[in-house]
């Protein structure tokens, strides 16, 4: 059976930022030109985890969010999540192109960034990729670095912003709101006490937790409906005495139970840091104030 033709973007695509967007847009253009499927290859775990034998830096997005962002913002139809294991780590760079990309996935054109390295010991680089594609009769584009505000857009820089709670600036470099997708779990029923329905979410293991505090967010339900929410990230010192990090969104102007639904939460602005209040009543007053801040934020 003939493999479908694909134009494939190569990279890890953590966060799917504007730098990645330059690759993904080029994939869309070439796919339309060649009558091929616009696709991207990413990995289920960061290669450094296996290479260095220690956890790499926390990631901006889970594989699920990476794939969804590529589809939603850049029209990528297929996201190939490659399992990065010992076999993949030791695969010679030529074999990665000839067997995996061209043979297994029908690549007729590849798009990579200026700093993309691949194959055993990272021996594959943009120059080698272009030369090999020429030999194979496959098209190849190498996309130069993308700069904004005199800063090269990178996942590393955006991670620093998210870790500090500078969400508005992080979103400028991402090109979209920072995103968390998860299935709503049962919480401590605090929302009922405060008069708002809540969604309790978790960051996947290995995904960066933003600076603790309260954020203006937007929650999109499975049916496509969305509502603003006041979301607390942290250990909830007023009502808990543990150190387990929770993500709890108080959904504004909505009634209903979202338990078991998979929702997307988008982070827009950090309103304040997390702090302990003297009483639940004081906490409720503050959440109401944060709700008004959130409404004002989205109304403008």
């Amino acid at each position: 059976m003939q493999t479908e033709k694909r134009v494939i973007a190569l990279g890890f695509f953590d966060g799917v930022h504007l730098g990645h967007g330059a690759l993904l847009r080029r994939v869309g253009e070439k796919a339309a030109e060649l009558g091929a499927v616009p696709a991207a290859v990413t990995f289920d775990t960061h290669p450094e985890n296996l290479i260095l034998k220690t956890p790499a830096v926390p990631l901006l997005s889970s594989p699920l969010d990476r794939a969804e962002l590529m589809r939603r913002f850049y029209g990528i139809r297929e996201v190939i999540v490659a399992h990065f294991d010992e076999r993949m780590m030791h695969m010679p760079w030529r074999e990665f192109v000839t067997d995996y990309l061209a043979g297994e996935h029908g690549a007729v054109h590849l798009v990579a960034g200026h700093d993309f390295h691949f194959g055993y010991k990272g021996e594959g680089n943009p120059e080698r990729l272009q030369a090999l594609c020429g030999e194979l009769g496959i098209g190849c584009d190498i996309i130069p670095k993308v700069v904004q505000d005199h800063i090269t857009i990178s996942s590393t820089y955006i991670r620093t912003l998210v870790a500090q709670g500078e969400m508005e600036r992080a979103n400028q470099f991402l090109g979209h709101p920072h995103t968390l997708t998860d299935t709503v779990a049962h919480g401590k029923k605090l929302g009922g006490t405060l008069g708002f329905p809540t969604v309790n979410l978790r960051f996947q293991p290995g995904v960066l937790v933003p600076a603790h505090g309260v954020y203006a967010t937007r929650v999109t339900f499975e049916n496509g409906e969305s509502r603003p929410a006041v979301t607390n990230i942290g250990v909830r010192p007023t009502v808990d005495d543990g150190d387990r990090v929770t993500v709890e969104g108080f959904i504004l102007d909505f009634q209903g139970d979202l338990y078991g639904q998979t929702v997307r939460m988008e982070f827009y602005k950090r309103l304040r840091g997390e702090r302990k209040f003297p009483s639940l009543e004081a906490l409720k007053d503050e959440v109401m104030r944060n709700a008004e801040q959130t409404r004002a934020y989205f109304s403008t």
Side-chain angles (χ1 to χ4, degrees), residues 184 187-200 214 219 221 227-232 236 248-258 271-272 280-295:
V184 178
K188 293 283 188 71
K189 310 291 186 186
L190 183 61
T193 308
L194 297 179
F196 296 118
T198 60
V199 287
N200 292 275
V214 174
V219 176
F221 313 144
R227 285 281 186 274
V230 176
T231 296
N232 186 81
R236 309 198 310 173
E248 188 170 28
F250 301 89
I251 303 176
L252 309 185
D253 310 316
F254 173 78
Q255 291 300 321
D257 183 6
L258 296 169
L271 301 175
R272 62 173 174 84
L280 265 181
E281 197 58 40
L283 170 61
K284 182 176 180 177
D285 290 345
E286 181 63 13
V287 172
M288 292 298 185
R289 191 177 76 85
N290 298 148
E292 290 313 308
Q293 290 176 301
T294 298
R295 285 193 182 91

Side-chain angles (χ1 to χ4, degrees), residues 46-67:
H46 200 287
E48 286 181 17
N49 284 352
L50 200 60
I51 293 165
L52 302 178
K53 306 296 183 187
T54 58
V57 287
L59 302 177
L60 288 165
S61 51
S62 67
L64 172 71
D65 275 322
R66 254 180 280 148

Side-chain angles (χ1 to χ4, degrees), residues 127-181:
E127 295 74 23
R128 285 179 160 175
L129 180 63
Q130 281 192 307
L132 180 55
C133 284
E135 288 176 32
L136 298 171
I138 294 174
C140 183
D141 284 312
I142 303 301
I143 306 299
K145 66 182 179 182
V146 179
V147 176
Q148 183 168 288
D149 296 346
H150 309 291
I151 294 169
T152 299
I153 298 176
S154 71
S155 300
T156 302
Y157 178 62
I158 297 168
R159 282 183 204 115
T160 302
L161 295 174
V162 171
Q164 294 169 348
E166 296 181 49
M167 207 58 79
E168 287 179 301
R169 184 162 176 81
N171 291 348
Q172 288 173 9
F173 286 84
L174 285 167
H176 56 78
H178 184 54
T179 299
L180 164 65
T181 302

Side-chain angles (χ1 to χ4, degrees), residues 30-300:
K30 287 305 296 185
E33 187 182 309
L34 299 172
V37 176
V41 165
T42 184
F43 297 99
D44 59 352
T45 185
H46 200 287
E48 286 181 17
N49 284 352
L50 200 60
I51 293 165
L52 302 178
K53 306 296 183 187
T54 58
V57 287
L59 302 177
L60 288 165
S61 51
S62 67
L64 172 71
D65 275 322
R66 254 180 280 148
E68 196 272 336
L69 289 165
M70 284 192 262
R71 291 189 183 104
R72 184 154 50 100
F73 288 104
Y74 297 103
I76 298 300
R77 272 177 40 206
E78 286 187 16
V79 180
I80 302 157
V81 181
H83 178 43
F84 196 84
D85 55 10
E86 292 284 346
R87 173 181 167 271
M88 182 66 77
M89 184 171 73
H90 289 97
M91 185 181 291
W93 68 271
R94 290 181 69 95
E95 187 181 315
F96 179 71
V97 178
T98 58
D99 295 8
Y100 186 73
L101 297 174
E104 200 173 320
H105 293 293
V108 294
H109 194 100
L110 298 175
V111 182
H114 66 100
D115 57 353
F116 182 65
H117 283 74
F118 60 99
Y120 182 53
K121 294 186 176 178
E123 289 173 347
N125 59 33
E127 295 74 23
R128 285 179 160 175
L129 180 63
Q130 281 192 307
L132 180 55
C133 284
E135 288 176 32
L136 298 171
I138 294 174
C140 183
D141 284 312
I142 303 301
I143 306 299
K145 66 182 179 182
V146 179
V147 176
Q148 183 168 288
D149 296 346
H150 309 291
I151 294 169
T152 299
I153 298 176
S154 71
S155 300
T156 302
Y157 178 62
I158 297 168
R159 282 183 204 115
T160 302
L161 295 174
V162 171
Q164 294 169 348
E166 296 181 49
M167 207 58 79
E168 287 179 301
R169 184 162 176 81
N171 291 348
Q172 288 173 9
F173 286 84
L174 285 167
H176 56 78
H178 184 54
T179 299
L180 164 65
T181 302
D182 192 27
T183 301
V184 178
H186 279 308
K188 293 283 188 71
K189 310 291 186 186
L190 183 61
T193 308
L194 297 179
F196 296 118
T198 60
V199 287
N200 292 275
L201 308 177
R202 298 149 304 225
F203 285 96
Q204 295 299 309
V207 174
L208 176 69
V209 176
H212 290 187
V214 174
Y215 292 82
T217 62
R218 183 170 284 280
V219 176
T220 300
F221 313 144
E222 287 179 345
N223 64 3
E225 182 186 357
S226 72
R227 285 281 186 274
V230 176
T231 296
N232 186 81
I233 298 177
V235 295
R236 309 198 310 173
T238 307
V239 294
D240 284 344
D241 55 6
D243 56 4
R244 188 173 71 90
V245 175
T246 63
V247 181
E248 188 170 28
F250 301 89
I251 303 176
L252 309 185
D253 310 316
F254 173 78
Q255 291 300 321
D257 183 6
L258 296 169
Y259 175 69
Q261 273 202 38
T262 298
V263 302
R264 181 177 75 242
M265 179 176 281
E266 296 176 335
F267 295 84
Y268 285 85
K269 180 182 174 66
R270 188 173 185 242
L271 301 175
R272 62 173 174 84
E274 186 175 50
R275 63 179 187 265
K276 185 168 185 172
F277 291 89
S279 65
L280 265 181
E281 197 58 40
L283 170 61
K284 182 176 180 177
D285 290 345
E286 181 63 13
V287 172
M288 292 298 185
R289 191 177 76 85
N290 298 148
E292 290 313 308
Q293 290 176 301
T294 298
R295 285 193 182 91
Y297 178 86
F298 286 112
S299 72
T300 57

Side-chain angles (χ1 to χ4, degrees), residues 7 23-33 36 38-39 74-76:
V7 176
L23 276 73
L24 300 169
R25 275 194 300 274
R26 182 61 179 155
V27 164
E29 292 165 3
K30 287 305 296 185
E33 187 182 309
Y74 297 103
I76 298 300

